[in-house]
Amino acid sequence: QQPVYAGRRELRLYHQSKEGITLARDGKRANRDRIALRVIADYAAAVQARALIDVERQAATLAEKRIAQAQALFDAGEVTRVDVLRADTAHKAALRRVASAEADAIQARSRLRMALAIDGGDAALGALDETTEIGLPVLSQESLEARALTRAEVKQAETNVRIAELEYLKQKGAYLPVVTADMGFIRQKSSFPSDSYGYAALRFTVPLFQGGEVGAKIRIAAARQHQAEVTLSETRRQAAEDVRQSLSLLEVARRTKGLADDQVKAAEAEYAQARDLYEQREATALDLEAAETALAEARRALIQARFAVLQAESSAWLAAGSLADAALENFK
């Protein structure tokens, strides 16, 4: 017995299964972008932690110099013992921040090794160069929006619409007759009417009354098709909005980085002047300590701003659904 025609339901079920394979492939694309985002974030965190260690060491060096400066002034009778003790306290606090930054760096490198599936310690990961400016050059808004309309989530929503359309047509096929081809060959001991014969037949099964079951399934399929179409429209709008929002955040991150760079220059000038004034006894130890703190904070802010730009660039590519490709192209 071989089915010949059943309202094309088997054919549409076959196409639905093929669309399921397309869904899985688009899901693979989305997973690649998520893995790329995790690797970039962990790499940036590891490099940032290494750069912050240098910043904290610079702050500790400045505090150590202040100890020597305060001790010299104390020996000359220019300041009290309090200035020396305050400088020593600041130096110990700076050393504590260095130790904390080193611990953060160890944890960041550990997360990076996990993201890269690397066994072993720091030797297996290799050295990280915190002096190199890393980035993902971003395309124009029009190009990113065009890419966003083909990202994995949108493609999956389009596939779900096609699956829903096929389901609707498949349910409508239940109204059509079912045709089967029957063939057989019989061999028997009896000689009447013949000891062997064959036959072939086409059988038509026509549905006359099914209690409204088919109509109900068709209406459910139509509702799901409409829902899939609405979801597709919303996904497309969300993709475009994600690109616009990410580009806005990228612009803010770049502007913040520029301001952080200016802040570092101003803090360095402030520290140099405060130190000269302190040596001339025209500024107090508190003024010099405040200048050191402002300089260290400005340097930390610059490091964080640098990697905030990289994170914003990654978010823009992720919104466009092309982060993995962009990372492979720029980080060869």
Side-chain angles (χ1 to χ4, degrees), residues 258-274 291 294-295 298:
L259 294 173
D261 191 29
D262 295 338
Q263 182 183 358
V264 169
K265 295 177 181 177
E268 289 175 346
E270 178 189 1
Y271 171 75
Q273 185 175 9
L295 178 57

Side-chain angles (χ1 to χ4, degrees), residues 1-254:
Q1 189 179 65
Q2 173 66 42
V4 177
Y5 179 78
R8 303 184 69 185
R9 282 175 286 180
E10 289 84 357
L11 180 62
R12 282 158 184 157
L13 180 60
Y14 167 72
H15 287 306
Q16 280 182 322
S17 301
K18 291 182 67 176
E19 295 295 343
I21 297 175
T22 304
L23 274 177
R25 288 174 177 165
D26 291 332
K28 178 183 176 181
R29 284 182 53 203
N31 286 332
R32 288 179 71 244
D33 281 347
R34 283 191 287 269
I35 291 172
L37 180 64
R38 178 187 173 188
V39 171
I40 291 172
D42 290 339
Y43 176 80
V47 178
Q48 177 179 333
R50 183 67 186 85
L52 288 176
I53 291 176
D54 294 338
V55 170
E56 301 302 343
R57 286 176 177 171
Q58 291 173 359
T61 301
L62 294 180
E64 188 175 6
K65 289 180 179 179
R66 182 152 58 95
I67 293 176
Q69 188 177 18
Q71 185 65 46
L73 292 175
F74 174 73
D75 294 339
E78 297 290 336
V79 298
T80 63
R81 185 68 178 174
V82 175
D83 287 1
V84 179
L85 295 175
R86 182 178 289 116
D88 187 59
T89 301
H91 182 242
K92 295 298 189 295
L95 292 178
R96 180 178 54 80
R97 288 192 294 269
V98 170
S100 178
E102 289 174 347
D104 292 339
I106 292 173
Q107 296 178 4
R109 291 173 69 90
S110 175
R111 290 192 296 269
L112 180 58
R113 287 195 299 271
M114 290 295 298
L116 295 175
I118 295 178
D119 296 326
D122 289 343
L125 184 60
L128 298 177
D129 185 7
E130 70 277 7
T131 61
T132 303
E133 191 78 17
I134 55 177
L136 288 171
V138 177
L139 301 178
S140 64
Q141 179 176 339
E142 293 77 11
S143 300
L144 290 180
E145 287 184 2
R147 287 172 177 250
L149 294 180
T150 61
R151 72 184 191 182
E153 292 86 348
V154 177
K155 300 298 289 185
Q156 287 180 323
E158 292 173 351
T159 302
N160 285 329
V161 169
R162 292 194 294 270
I163 291 175
E165 291 174 350
L166 290 169
E167 181 65 23
Y168 175 73
L169 296 174
K170 185 177 72 174
Q171 296 300 333
K172 285 186 67 176
Y175 280 133
L176 300 176
V178 177
V179 180
T180 57
D182 291 353
M183 293 172 286
F185 179 78
I186 297 176
R187 188 178 184 88
Q188 58 185 0
K189 292 183 178 181
S190 175
S191 60
F192 179 81
S194 175
D195 58 353
S196 62
Y197 63 93
Y199 68 91
L202 283 178
R203 304 185 186 276
F204 292 80
T205 303
V206 181
L208 297 178
F209 179 73
Q210 296 174 329
E213 179 182 1
V214 175
K217 290 181 178 180
I218 291 174
R219 286 190 292 272
I220 292 174
R224 289 177 177 171
Q225 179 181 351
H226 176 68
Q227 182 181 5
E229 291 170 349
V230 171
T231 301
L232 174 59
S233 300
E234 183 179 356
T235 304
R236 286 172 174 168
R237 286 194 299 271
Q238 186 63 52
E241 285 299 324
D242 288 345
V243 169
R244 299 187 190 104
Q245 291 178 9
S246 62
L247 289 178
S248 299
L249 294 176
L250 175 59
E251 181 62 28
V252 172
R254 286 173 174 170

